[in-house]
């Protein structure tokens, strides 16, 4: 599309947007004058769908009216509540229903997956991760490595961009996997990097890992609800994600977990067990020698009976994704971030003062190609980044600042408009 830079064009894009109506299904935070803020922070905490309150109220009311009998009530019984999320979540991540379960938090699920799929040996004990992985993942991985008696400084292998570049090249990653493969037990990558916004080539990374005899796992915290995923077809071994970022299910909401069918059905895979992962028919056996008998699906990794109030919010949110369809959301998202990149390109970041050009004030470090990015655009500020971020905040932009110098903004197709993108570009370039 040929973008124009005038305000009318932003309004034309909104008028032509088939998904524009979804914004009305969300609570949009406002300033003191009750004007909506430009909320570009869906990469950290997605906005509240209006339907969530009724969904949570329903379970609160049932609890008040029925107490323990809510576990077996006629409508959405708590005993099997997690099963209601299976199919919508599977559709969202391109999985078969029995490959997906909603449980725990992301980091807990990552540990549970590593218990099963990081089985280091004396020869093959390394974990390969991307540079600037999210801190929780690094803590999880380093402590798992130590738990197995290895030294994280030896066992943790980091894939870094080339000198002078901000993002990774798939071919470099493939070469690294070929070269180090015999020593790598697990390739654990983000789907979309939280810092740069780079979308990794998950099918190619998985294929390279498998060709070298490694397991391939993904942290999809920034990919689920953002980009289209085909976890089953890509042959990913396992994946984990949270539901409070692009999935709009509320702070600390229950997380997602994917286990490929060829593992999910294998009840002999070692794991940590709990009663909710056991066959429901024998879940309540009281004798001490009762063997753990896992459900032959991703459900077999559950430990606890889940927090229903949180699952109710996830369920309400996933209904919106089903109505909008992730393919349509992704198409809008590609257009939105392309428009944002275009506007930022038009305003030269290079300022000329008294005939001398001053250094570039900021640069976008997210890859420009839609196949290498999702919603998020990461802006590296060269000139007083904290001041720039403060002025964005003062002008009503909700973004995120990662010290020392990266501002991350994410126009989200479910609730952000093209006009907000246009205003953001105005504000950024005027400060
Ligand atoms: C947000 C995020 C997390 C957060 O972990 P929780 O267990 O949900 O607190 C972990 N990893 C990545 C990559 C993230 O983006």
């Amino acid at each position: 599309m040929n973008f124009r830079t005038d305000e009318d064009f932003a309004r034309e894009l909104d008028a032509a947007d088939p998904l524009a109506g979804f914004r009305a299904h969300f609570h949009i935070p406002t300033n003191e004058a009750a004007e909506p803020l430009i909320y570009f922070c869906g990469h950290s905490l997605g906005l509240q769908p209006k339907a969530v309150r009724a969904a949570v109220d329903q379970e609160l009311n049932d609890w008040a009216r029925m107490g323990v009998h809510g576990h077996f009530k006629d409508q959405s019984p708590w005993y099997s509540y997690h099963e209601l999320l299976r199919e919508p979540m599977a559709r969202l991540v391109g999985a078969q229903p029995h490959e997906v379960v909603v449980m725990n938090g992301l980091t807990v699920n990552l540990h549970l997956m590593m218990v099963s799929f990081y089985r280091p040996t004396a020869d093959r004990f390394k974990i390969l991760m991307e540079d600037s992985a999210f801190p929780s993942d690094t803590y999880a991985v380093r402590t798992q490595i130590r738990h197995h008696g290895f030294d994280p400084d030896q066992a943790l292998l980091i894939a870094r961009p080339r000198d002078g570049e901000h993002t990774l090249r798939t071919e470099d990653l493939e070469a690294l996997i070929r070269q180090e493969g015999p020593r790598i037990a697990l390739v654990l990558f983000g789907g979309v990097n939280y810092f740069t916004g780079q979308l990794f080539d998950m099918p190619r990374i998985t294929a390279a890992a498998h060709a070298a005899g490694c397991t391939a796992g993904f942290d999809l915290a920034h990919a689920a609800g953002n980009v289209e995923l085909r976890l089953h077809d890509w042959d990913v071994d396992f994946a984990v994600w949270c539901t409070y970022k692009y999935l709009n299910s509320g702070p600390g909401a229950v997380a997602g977990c994917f286990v490929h069918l060829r593992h999910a059905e294998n009840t002999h895979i070692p794991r940590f067990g709990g009663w909710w992962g056991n066959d429901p028919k024998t879940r309540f056996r009281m004798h001490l020698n009762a063997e753990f008998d896992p459900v032959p699906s991703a459900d077999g990794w559950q430990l606890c009976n889940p927090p229903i109030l949180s699952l109710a919010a996830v369920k309400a949110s996933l209904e919106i994704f089903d109505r909008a369809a992730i393919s349509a959301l992704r198409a809008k998202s590609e257009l939105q971030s392309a428009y944002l990149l275009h506007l930022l390109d038009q305003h030269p970041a290079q300022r000329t003062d008294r005939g001398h050009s001053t250094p570039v004030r900021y640069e976008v470090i997210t890859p420009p190609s839609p196949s290498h990015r999702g919603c998020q655009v990461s802006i590296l500020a060269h000139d007083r980044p904290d001041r720039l971020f403060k002025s964005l905040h003062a002008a009503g932009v909700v973004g995120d600042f990662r010290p020392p110098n990266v501002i991350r903004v994410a126009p989200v197709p479910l609730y952000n408009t093209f006009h907000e993108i246009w205003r953001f570009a105005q504000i950024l370039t005027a400060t």
Side-chain angles (χ1 to χ4, degrees):
M1 181 181 289
N2 286 327
F3 295 120
R4 301 199 319 262
T5 57
D6 55 294
E7 184 171 8
D8 283 346
F9 185 70
R11 299 223 185 263
E12 285 164 28
L13 286 172
D14 281 323
D17 170 16
L19 299 175
F22 280 95
R23 179 174 168 89
H25 294 292
F26 289 86
H27 292 288
I28 311 288
T30 56
N31 64 14
E32 279 153 22
E35 297 153 345
L37 296 168
I38 299 177
Y39 193 85
F40 280 177
C41 225
H43 54 52
S44 292
L45 184 69
L47 292 181
Q48 184 185 136
K50 290 177 179 167
V52 158
R53 190 175 297 273
V56 174
D57 268 352
Q58 169 80 48
E59 303 313 322
L60 284 172
N61 291 339
D62 288 352
W63 176 26
R65 282 191 305 117
M66 300 181 224
V68 72
H69 295 305
H71 281 300
F72 296 101
K73 62 193 161 95
D74 291 339
Q75 256 215 319
S76 54
W78 301 330
Y79 193 71
S80 52
Y81 200 97
H82 67 277
E83 294 174 8
L84 301 172
L85 305 176
R86 187 185 278 155
E87 301 213 354
M89 193 59 105
R91 280 192 284 277
L92 193 74
V93 297
Q96 298 191 8
H98 287 283
E99 294 175 318
V100 164
V101 62
V102 179
M103 61 180 185
N104 312 311
L106 185 164
T107 309
V108 176
N109 291 345
L110 181 56
H111 273 297
L112 293 179
M113 289 295 100
M114 285 195 282
V115 164
S116 292
F117 299 109
Y118 174 55
R119 318 268 313 147
T121 63
D123 296 329
R124 196 187 269 279
F125 57 92
K126 294 193 181 187
I127 299 181
L128 174 65
M129 290 174 87
E130 83 250 36
D131 193 22
S132 53
F134 195 83
S136 194
D137 301 48
T138 308
Y139 301 145
V141 162
R142 291 185 74 96
T143 53
Q144 281 277 338
I145 290 170
R146 271 202 202 288
H147 177 73
H148 286 283
F150 293 91
D151 174 1
D153 292 335
Q154 309 273 309
L156 180 54
L157 193 61
I158 303 289
R160 294 199 164 79
R162 293 183 186 184
D163 279 349
E165 298 186 3
H166 294 289
T167 51
L168 272 167
R169 299 191 193 200
T170 311
E171 63 268 27
D172 290 358
L173 189 53
E174 286 171 326
L176 181 60
I177 292 172
R178 264 198 308 276
Q179 183 196 323
E180 288 279 341
R183 285 167 295 282
I184 299 174
L186 170 64
V187 174
L188 178 66
F189 251 66
V192 173
N193 181 269
Y194 88 103
F195 188 71
T196 62
Q198 179 178 16
L199 167 60
F200 293 115
D201 192 329
M202 289 173 261
R204 266 175 72 185
I205 294 172
T206 304
H210 288 171
C214 324
T215 300
F218 289 91
D219 180 333
L220 304 175
H222 284 264
N226 177 5
V227 295
E228 285 187 271
L229 300 163
R230 309 233 64 85
L231 297 181
H232 178 84
D233 294 346
W234 295 343
D235 209 27
V236 165
D237 291 288
F238 70 85
V240 294
W241 59 97
C242 55
T243 61
Y244 50 82
K245 291 173 181 166
Y246 295 105
L247 292 183
N248 310 318
S249 301
V254 201
C257 186
F258 165 91
V259 184
H260 197 280
L261 210 57
R262 69 195 133 83
H263 305 308
E265 289 182 335
N266 179 355
T267 55
H268 300 293
I269 290 181
R271 71 192 76 189
F272 289 169
W275 70 326
W276 232 252
N278 196 88
D279 182 348
K281 290 196 284 297
T282 54
R283 183 175 283 163
F284 283 93
R285 283 173 305 177
M286 289 297 173
H287 47 101
L288 288 177
N289 55 357
E291 265 305 330
F292 176 61
D293 182 15
V295 182
S297 76
D299 281 7
W301 273 265
Q302 292 175 108
L303 300 178
C304 308
N305 78 105
I308 299 298
L309 300 182
S310 178
L311 286 186
V314 180
K315 182 168 165 285
S317 176
L318 289 179
E319 282 164 13
I320 298 178
F321 279 88
D322 261 343
R323 261 184 286 138
I326 187 69
S327 51
L329 289 168
R330 175 65 169 145
K332 175 175 173 185
S333 167
E334 287 182 14
L335 188 63
Q336 284 191 316
S337 36
Y339 179 52
L340 173 57
L341 294 174
H342 177 80
L343 292 177
L344 295 184
D345 255 7
Q346 296 310 297
H347 295 272
Q350 192 115 359
R351 261 194 319 204
T352 310
D353 290 329
R354 278 171 269 120
H356 302 286
S357 68
T358 58
V360 177
R361 291 170 58 217
Y362 54 75
E363 62 183 301
V364 172
I365 60 171
T366 306
S369 152
S371 54
H372 295 116
R373 61 171 161 76
C375 297
Q376 180 182 319
V377 171
S378 298
I379 299 163
L380 192 154
H382 291 289
D383 185 21
R384 288 164 292 178
D386 43 343
R387 215 186 66 159
L388 179 60
F389 186 68
K390 279 196 194 111
S391 37
L392 287 174
H393 176 79
V397 175
V398 185
D400 168 273
F401 182 51
R402 290 287 120 178
N405 55 6
V406 169
I407 294 168
R408 304 182 306 151
V409 290
V412 169
L414 268 175
Y415 48 75
N416 287 125
T417 65
F418 289 90
H419 191 252
E420 288 179 305
I421 294 170
W422 182 84
R423 279 169 56 214
F424 170 78
Q426 293 286 306
I427 294 164
L428 181 74
T429 49
T431 29

